[in-house]
Amino acid sequence: MTVPQRIAAQVDSGPSAWSAQPIRSDIPAERVVGAEFSAQRIEPDLVWIDVRGEIDIRNAHALHAFTHRQLGESIRMVVDLGAVEFFGAAGLSVFDDLDERARALNVRWALLSGRPVERLLRVADAAIAAKACRTREAALAAVAPVK
């Protein structure tokens, strides 16, 4: 089974269906005010982080901590923001710090962005916007092992 097939087997393909279903994960999910984060090891060296809800000043610090904990677990990581309904400016610092730490640890990472995230990235952060992908396949290609 390919990685996209494994991901598709875990969640439905439509973003609206994602928020209605519990997140399946081999890493405990974390619920905070307005959001939920989970991580799943898709391959031995690839962690898929699923973020749902709203990212703002109330919970950006929790997203920061959650993503940074996963950096030590893998050399490839995708942060899936497809089910994020609101993404405030406080979330940008999460990805600036994540990018810096990932480079230090030699971790390849990408964002699977949704519409609220894309809007903010377009006007605020070109470096992180370059990490944003619109499809699962593109996100997986962005973190594919270097041959």
Side-chain angles (χ1 to χ4, degrees):
M1 182 180 284
T2 67
V3 173
Q5 289 170 330
R6 278 186 243 156
I7 294 168
Q10 296 298 321
V11 294
D12 285 342
S13 60
S16 62
W18 292 354
S19 60
Q21 296 183 353
I23 299 170
R24 298 181 194 169
S25 177
D26 57 348
I27 301 168
E30 186 171 317
R31 292 175 190 247
V32 296
V33 176
E36 181 178 354
F37 321 128
S38 69
Q40 183 174 27
R41 188 166 307 286
I42 302 300
E43 291 184 348
D45 68 341
L46 173 60
V47 171
W48 190 277
I49 297 176
D50 188 32
V51 181
R52 299 170 188 239
E54 300 178 349
I55 302 302
D56 55 29
I57 194 79
R58 301 172 303 157
N59 55 29
H61 64 284
L63 178 58
H64 180 278
F66 189 84
T67 56
H68 282 259
R69 280 195 302 274
Q70 308 316 314
L71 280 176
E73 301 295 320
S74 184
I75 61 170
R76 299 185 299 140
M77 184 169 71
V78 174
V79 181
D80 184 348
L81 304 172
V84 170
E85 299 157 5
F86 173 82
F87 191 81
L92 290 176
S93 65
V94 171
F95 300 121
D96 285 333
D97 290 348
L98 180 63
D99 191 47
E100 185 176 316
R101 180 90 171 119
R103 276 189 270 120
L105 295 172
N106 202 26
V107 173
R108 296 173 55 96
W109 76 283
L111 290 173
L112 179 56
S113 63
R115 189 171 180 177
V117 179
E118 287 176 5
R119 283 183 189 162
L120 188 58
L121 289 177
R122 270 192 302 232
V123 297
D125 198 328
I128 300 303
K131 297 271 186 196
C133 303
R134 291 179 182 238
T135 67
R136 291 178 184 169
E137 292 76 18
L140 291 169
V143 298
V146 179
K147 296 180 183 185

